[in-house]
Amino acid sequence: MLKNPKRELKEKKKRQSLQPPMETTYEDFEPLCNWQRAQNCDTLDVHLPGFKRQQLRVQLSSSGIITITGERQLDEAKAIKSRFRKEFPVSKVCQPNQIRAKFCNGVLSLVMPKQVSIISGASGNVTSGKFLRSTMNMNKRVVLEIIIAICWLLAVRAYVQKCCQCSHLGN
């Protein structure tokens, strides 16, 4: 007798629906976590083999706590799930709105950029973003003025060559 796969699947689902639902059992585990601290950012790598991106959740609370949770099915027949929960305080020097998460090859990486600060030499005052932006704008103006000066010099040179027919300036 030939088997009909659609019919068999339908009958299997019907048998499962008639059975009382199994109670889910959870196995909690502690994932391996590695911190990498650098001058411009901190990176947290959480090793989660067997997990998929959709099974993970990363949240940042208003009090500055990052919560990472995950849950995945281990055994469907026995309704066993694996889960974890990790909480980390965000450093005061990190920019919370710039925190990024990436999940690749079973590793969840959280990159937490630090606030840019510059220490002025003589006074020892610490300033941040505003001073850096104004310095960058000032540098842009200086570069623009240099470009204008070079263009002006090239125009004067061309005028002198054309009008004065000076042979010592070259062709």
Side-chain angles (χ1 to χ4, degrees):
M1 175 167 132
L2 294 174
K3 294 184 178 182
N4 183 343
K6 282 187 174 181
R7 185 175 181 204
E8 285 181 13
L9 183 62
K10 189 175 181 182
E11 288 175 7
K12 183 179 177 183
K13 285 184 180 181
K14 186 177 179 181
R15 283 191 306 269
Q16 287 175 345
S17 68
L18 295 176
Q19 296 174 351
M22 290 185 157
E23 191 171 318
T24 303
T25 305
Y26 292 96
E27 289 184 6
D28 293 334
F29 80 101
E30 188 74 22
L32 174 65
C33 299
N34 294 324
W35 280 98
Q36 299 169 12
R37 302 197 187 272
Q39 187 175 358
N40 59 346
C41 72
D42 290 342
T43 303
L44 172 65
D45 291 330
V46 183
H47 297 267
L48 301 163
F51 276 84
K52 296 177 182 170
R53 182 175 164 252
Q54 299 82 0
Q55 298 166 326
L56 303 173
R57 180 181 225 174
V58 179
Q59 294 177 299
L60 176 63
S61 71
S62 59
S63 60
I65 303 291
I66 290 181
T67 304
I68 305 168
T69 57
E71 185 177 297
R72 70 181 177 108
Q73 193 77 37
L74 285 179
D75 186 351
E76 285 190 36
K78 297 180 183 177
I80 299 174
K81 291 186 175 186
S82 176
R83 68 181 177 186
F84 73 95
R85 178 183 181 92
K86 297 293 286 181
E87 290 185 353
F88 302 96
V90 175
S91 171
K92 298 289 184 203
V93 297
C94 287
Q95 300 176 20
N97 59 340
Q98 297 295 318
I99 294 174
R100 300 289 177 254
K102 178 182 176 184
F103 186 68
C104 184
N105 297 326
V107 178
L108 175 66
S109 296
L110 290 170
V111 179
M112 298 170 259
K114 295 179 182 176
Q115 294 175 0
V116 177
S117 62
I118 299 171
I119 299 175
S120 61
S123 64
N125 294 334
V126 177
T127 57
S128 61
K130 271 186 184 176
F131 176 75
L132 184 60
R133 283 190 292 278
S134 66
T135 302
M136 289 173 60
N137 286 338
M138 187 171 61
N139 288 344
K140 287 179 185 177
R141 267 186 253 125
V142 170
V143 169
L144 184 58
E145 288 175 11
I146 290 171
I147 291 171
I148 290 170
I150 290 171
C151 290
W152 185 80
L153 287 172
L154 289 173
V156 168
R157 181 176 183 245
Y159 174 77
V160 169
Q161 274 184 327
K162 185 175 182 179
C163 294
C164 297
Q165 299 296 323
C166 298
S167 60
H168 67 281
L169 290 177
N171 292 337

